[in-house]
Amino acid sequence: MKIQFNTDKYVEGNERSEAYFASELETTLARFEDKITRIEVHFGDENGEKFSLKDKKCLIEVRPAKLQSIVVTDHAESIEKAFRGALVKIKKAVETTFEKQKAH
């Protein structure tokens, strides 16, 4: 399972935070790792240099083998909070997708 991080020009990415976020994703989605080929995480600041509440965005896209991509987004005051919100959403979405697949 490959994990790729992308940031816009207003969000600074570094290896330490990427390692932490990757670890959290791997732990949360560990039971599905054989079914997931790639995960892309996009961080952004929707208002750029202007201040606004909940303007930080985290989009997580999970690409399961032989299925459509699963995409969730969360907005918060910080990148970390946006990531946490998106992580909860993607876990639920992935679980639901694979449970439906198992039922058929």
Side-chain angles (χ1 to χ4, degrees):
M1 165 168 73
K2 181 182 177 196
I3 301 175
Q4 179 181 338
F5 292 93
N6 302 297
T7 60
D8 68 11
K9 65 182 182 178
Y10 299 107
V11 176
E12 185 179 321
N14 60 52
E15 288 182 30
R16 184 174 169 216
S17 61
E18 286 182 11
Y20 169 74
F21 293 137
S23 172
E24 291 294 304
L25 280 164
E26 289 169 352
T27 301
T28 301
L29 300 175
R31 68 183 233 216
F32 304 110
E33 71 179 322
D34 60 326
K35 298 176 183 177
I36 296 172
T37 59
R38 190 159 117 191
I39 299 172
E40 286 193 35
V41 181
H42 301 268
F43 293 111
D45 185 333
E46 296 198 329
N47 292 333
E49 296 174 357
K50 298 179 211 165
F51 176 77
S52 177
L53 292 177
K54 296 191 176 191
D55 66 339
K56 306 298 187 276
K57 177 175 104 172
C58 177
L59 180 144
I60 300 176
E61 178 181 0
V62 171
R63 297 187 181 175
K66 302 176 185 173
L67 294 174
Q68 293 282 342
S69 293
I70 304 165
V71 182
V72 299
T73 304
D74 197 70
H75 294 83
E77 306 84 43
S78 70
I79 291 298
E80 293 78 13
K81 287 182 181 179
F83 176 77
R84 284 268 162 231
L87 189 62
V88 169
K89 290 178 182 179
I90 200 67
K91 180 182 179 190
K92 185 173 182 178
V94 168
E95 286 173 347
T96 301
T97 298
F98 288 124
E99 284 173 10
K100 284 181 180 178
Q101 186 184 31
K102 200 170 28 173
H104 291 288

